[in-house]
Amino acid sequence: MTTIVIRKDQTGAYRGFYCMGHAGYAKGRKPDILCAAISVLTIGTVNSLKDLAGEQLCVAADESTGFLKCDFEGRLQEKSSFLLDSMVYSLENLSREYGEKFLKVKFEEV
């Protein structure tokens, strides 16, 4: 199962997110379409935040364990918050579609 934790401060501003685990939807077979979708959304958002929006990020990843952590070094621009809103929206839809047995999206106040 993949767990994604979206981190927000007391004002509701995004502070970062992290992902842990592989979805396991394909039950060991390749390719796992759910893992691929999660990767596209999370990695694509990180790349867009950095390369298109110019945000300062601290990123750590380990592909073998399905770990990705992205912390924002400052308050995000409005367009960057919209990118995160879109990522969260899509991940929550995937969780509803495939089930929390494979993908769980959580929120954490920091």
Side-chain angles (χ1 to χ4, degrees), residues 9 38 52 55 75 83 90 105:
D9 65 18
I38 294 165
L52 299 178
E55 298 290 353
R75 192 166 278 280
L83 287 171
S90 297
V105 179

Side-chain angles (χ1 to χ4, degrees), residues 4-8 14 16-17 87-88 105-108:
I4 301 177
V5 179
I6 310 299
R7 301 173 66 238
K8 291 183 169 189
Y14 290 108
F17 67 91
M87 180 189 81
V88 170
V105 179
K106 299 180 178 183
F107 294 86
E108 174 181 276

Side-chain angles (χ1 to χ4, degrees), residues 1-2 95-96 98-105:
M1 174 183 37
T2 300
S95 180
R96 280 190 292 277
Y98 290 92
E100 286 192 350
K101 175 180 175 184
F102 301 106
L103 172 61
K104 187 173 285 198
V105 179

Side-chain angles (χ1 to χ4, degrees), residues 69-104:
K69 183 176 183 185
C70 180
D71 289 320
F72 311 137
E73 294 185 4
R75 192 166 278 280
L76 294 180
Q77 303 167 70
E78 186 176 336
K79 64 184 174 184
S80 300
S81 290
F82 182 77
L83 287 171
L84 263 291
D85 288 342
S86 178
M87 180 189 81
V88 170
Y89 175 80
S90 297
L91 290 168
E92 289 179 326
N93 281 335
L94 284 174
S95 180
R96 280 190 292 277
E97 174 89 19
Y98 290 92
E100 286 192 350
K101 175 180 175 184
F102 301 106
L103 172 61
K104 187 173 285 198

